[in-house]
Amino acid sequence: MNRAVTLDDLILAGIAVAAGLVAAFLSRTLLRWLAKHAKRTRWSGDDVIVDALRTVVPWAAIAGGAASAAAVLPLTRTVQHHVNQTLSVLLIFVATLSAARVITGLVQTVTQSRSGVAGSATIFVNITRILVLAIGFLVVLQTLGISIAPLLTALGVGGLAVALALQDTLANLFAGVHILASRTVQPGDYIRLSTGEEGYVEDINWRQTTVRQLSNNLVVIPNGQLAKTNMTNFTRPEQQLTVLVQVGVGYDSDLEHVERVTKEVVAEVMQEITGAVPDHEPAVRFHTFGDSRIGFTVILGVGEFSDQYRIKHEFIKRLHRRYREEGIRIPAPTRTVALQQGSATIPQQRGGGDDVGVGSAVAG
């Protein structure tokens, strides 16, 4: 159009812009009301969708009002094209960010709702976000009239060089995907590597796995190294595990009495100590005629790996006290030492004559 702008044109354009702003305000108010009701539902996916719509819908209303105002004004074809193109790019940009938020939020919601999938592993969320943003970027280029075919060709040709340059990074990326897909390790599991590192898995991202030790220190392990090394997972196939405590009593002890008293202490600990397994059946297994004692193993049930220290602590204290009350003797190891004047038997005590000799192991 080549005619001059009139007052009627400005009034109509102002009405179009005002209508877009009013629509944006009303839609945001409505979506805020919907967000309050969405929080009352069990599914957290509706919260993610409504939160994203609170960003997209108002901007879409504003862009629609601006586009209507531009259509009313007597603009030249070139200016009209640039205005529409700018508004389209703005709307695609907002829609892409919102779509990335919605899709990544839904992915995280689905993974958190399934026990066999990594709920807090960010690798899936990051990959999904990058894919959505990349698609949005290509749509923006296509909207601006830039052909994406040469770009895709260049990416295909340069992909080999990038793969060679980033082979370690890509190896860690695919190793992380393999670890999560095979379900051998998930965030929250307690693991121990053959190299000595152990702790709770905090997160698995595109490059590394973060493990929190019981001392609250963080150990960062590349995914490639985690996939190659031997590993013990103390959380799978189930979180509960058994702890073996080694005990010894004197040869003059009544083993039936020892077994009964020990089982009573185990049952007491299982019922009263936090982290124990109340329905665990007490088990005592005699196994060795030692130099100064008869050795046996006590099997304790614990809810998870870190509970074993508290449970063993309470079990040893209570067992030691109960053995004193029952007159059950825990002999100290003795050693015969040859002297010049003859020979003598010298008792070598380890932590006191009445202490329980303990060597423990964990069985998943």
Side-chain angles (χ1 to χ4, degrees), residues 14 49 79 116 143 162 211 220 266 269 280 290 311 324 363:
I49 295 175
V79 174
T143 303
V162 173
V211 175
V220 178
V266 172
V269 171
H280 172 75
I311 294 172
R324 280 179 178 270

Side-chain angles (χ1 to χ4, degrees), residues 13 37 54 75 124 126-127 130 134 138 145 230 243 263 271 276 282 294 308 320-321 327 334 343 350:
H37 288 274
R54 289 176 62 182
L75 303 177
F124 290 136
N126 290 336
I127 291 176
I130 291 174
L138 294 178
N230 295 331
V243 177
K263 286 185 175 181
Q271 294 294 328
I294 297 176
Q308 63 172 306
H320 182 258
R321 182 174 63 249
T334 60
S343 62
R350 298 179 182 176

